[in-house]
């Protein structure tokens, strides 16, 4: 089984979430004796998802939108995404002012099993002049609201679905049918 984790990250914190998820997912699948290769790549570097059996796609959220590289990947690979298990995640909320369950158009992607929202990281020293002005306008401070434990827990959920799909006790009909859609978060 080949699994792609593709991320769109402006300053690297969403990419780091993808790397955490890749490590945790590899460990969890190994624990269930599921033979899998997990590739963590930048969304901009993904030409095709045809060779992957499952996909996790994540993006930083800026001003309520996914980054262009993630949106482009979805637009380009939409028909392929609809044929395999897909999980989505967004990264960006900082502090108590932004609810971690904020909805986006990706929460409504019927072809995805789940959309997870993780806290974000803000380090003003890495921002452009425009980004610093926006941060100043919304009165946001530096911080890191990402949780490695939350990422690890989600990796467990994903590995459970994938292991079940590949289980010898699962009939070929069950494996070939589209995955049951879970609740969006």
């Amino acid at each position: 089984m080949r699994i792609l984790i593709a991320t769109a990250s402006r300053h690297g914190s969403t990419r780091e979430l993808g790397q955490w998820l890749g490590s945790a997912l590899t460990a969890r699948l190994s624990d269930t004796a599921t033979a899998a290769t997990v590739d963590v790549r930048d969304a901009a570097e993904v030409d095709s998802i045809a060779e992957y059996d499952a996909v996790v796609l994540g993006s930083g959220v800026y001003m309520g939108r996914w980054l262009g590289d993630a949106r482009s990947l979805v637009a380009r690979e939409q028909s392929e995404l609809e044929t395999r298990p897909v999980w989505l995640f967004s990264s960006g909320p900082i502090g108590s002012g932004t609810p971690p369950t904020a909805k986006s158009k990706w929460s409504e992607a019927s072809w995805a099993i789940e959309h997870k929202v993780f806290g974000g990281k803000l380090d003003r020293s890495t921002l452009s002049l425009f980004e610093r002005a926006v941060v100043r306008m919304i009165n946001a401070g530096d911080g890191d609201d990402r949780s490695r434990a939350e990422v690890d827990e989600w990796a467990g959920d994903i590995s459970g679905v994938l292991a079940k799909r590949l289980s010898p006790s699962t009939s070929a009909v069950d494996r070939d049918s589209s995955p049951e859609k879970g609740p969006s978060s």
Side-chain angles (χ1 to χ4, degrees):
M1 169 178 277
R2 290 199 63 196
I3 303 161
L4 171 66
I5 299 174
T7 61
S9 185
R10 188 172 287 163
H11 299 289
S13 63
T14 304
R15 179 180 304 109
E16 191 172 26
L17 284 171
Q19 292 166 342
W20 292 353
L21 183 60
S23 295
L25 193 53
T26 298
R28 296 291 187 113
L29 289 168
S30 177
D31 289 347
T32 64
T34 303
T37 301
V38 179
D39 296 333
V40 181
R41 300 176 57 197
D42 286 342
E45 297 173 357
V46 176
D47 294 324
S48 171
I49 65 165
E51 70 220 49
Y52 295 99
D53 302 299
V55 176
V56 179
L57 178 58
S59 178
V61 177
Y62 290 85
M63 298 180 14
R65 293 182 55 166
W66 267 22
L67 294 172
D69 290 339
R71 292 191 320 264
S72 294
L73 179 59
V74 169
R76 196 174 57 249
E77 297 292 320
Q78 182 74 48
S79 62
E80 289 286 335
L81 289 167
E82 293 175 358
T83 66
R84 59 191 35 83
V86 176
W87 289 264
L88 306 173
F89 74 90
S90 296
S91 168
I94 292 285
S96 59
T98 306
T101 56
K103 298 291 181 195
S104 74
K105 83 180 222 174
W106 303 109
S107 299
E108 307 305 321
S110 63
W111 42 268
I113 293 173
E114 181 178 17
H115 174 244
K116 183 85 170 161
V117 179
F118 293 109
K121 178 180 176 183
L122 177 62
D123 177 358
R124 283 186 272 198
S125 70
T126 65
L127 303 179
S128 70
L129 187 58
F130 173 75
E131 289 169 328
R132 281 188 291 227
V134 170
V135 165
R136 197 172 17 258
M137 283 179 10
I138 63 172
N139 206 21
D142 286 356
D144 189 349
D145 288 347
R146 300 170 303 158
S147 166
R148 192 158 195 158
E150 229 182 295
V151 172
D152 289 345
E153 182 180 327
W154 198 46
D157 295 345
I158 293 170
S159 67
V161 171
L162 293 174
K164 184 177 178 183
R165 286 179 56 87
L166 294 176
S167 166
S169 64
T170 305
S171 72
V173 172
D174 291 339
R175 282 193 304 271
D176 292 339
S177 66
S178 64
E180 187 174 319
K181 305 300 181 200
S184 295
S185 56

